[in-house]
Amino acid sequence: MAVAKLTQTMISGKTVYYIEADQSAISVEDLGGKELTTSTKFGISGTFFDSYTGTVVGIACGYRGKEVRDDGERHANGYTRGTLVAFRPLGTQSQVVSRYVINHIKDSVPLDWIDWAIGGLSLYLNDSSITQDSDLESKLVEVEHGQSVNGVSPAYNTDRAAIGYKSGKIVLACIKNAKPWDCRTIMASLGCYDAVMLDGSTCAQIRAKNASGQIITAGGPRSIYSIVTVDPMTTWL
């Protein structure tokens, strides 16, 4: 049975709520314009969206790369952006998780390999050329049109959601009052090999259980349209 653990801590002066879960417990779903914190789901908020139309404007896909909501197969406006993809190469049972900078989900791996995918802005944890906040900001502007996302260029403090991966685990984090550089530093300190920053501000929401079974929430309030979920049958440590 899959397991997950919720931790609330301070890292680099920022309040962080994060879930570390087995890869097998994770999927991407449509939340349909509700608040995650008041729903029955566990996990974190997902990609960017248009609140007027209810469509997502970033990649949010489930099994075989199927969009979980209208337009969820691509990043809007032709942008290439960081996307975490969980997939099973043909002929294997082991799930691989990797980050791609793509516009359309079909630009990553064959669609019938995919378990789920979620997009945002890359944190470039494995890019040694990024050594300070201005380097990250420049990269996000040049490669991922980061200036179209509030609080990226110029960077400012707001609540952030992020997803990363390490050996057999997915890390889902809600970081309070942080810049993209803070997210990069924090996800690296949590041991992630790579990570993607998801929607922020009041969209950044988390809902989880502690070891006692108490439900813990943070972030919001705002209706959102995609989430990275933890299977309800998961055991919380």
Side-chain angles (χ1 to χ4, degrees), residues 44 80 98 144 184 209 213:
I44 62 167
T80 57
S98 189
E144 305 193 19
R184 186 179 193 267
K209 286 183 182 180

Side-chain angles (χ1 to χ4, degrees), residues 7 46 49 63 116 154 174 197 222 227:
T7 301
F49 62 90
Y63 184 59
W116 55 264
C174 186
M197 186 171 66
R222 190 173 178 184
I227 54 173

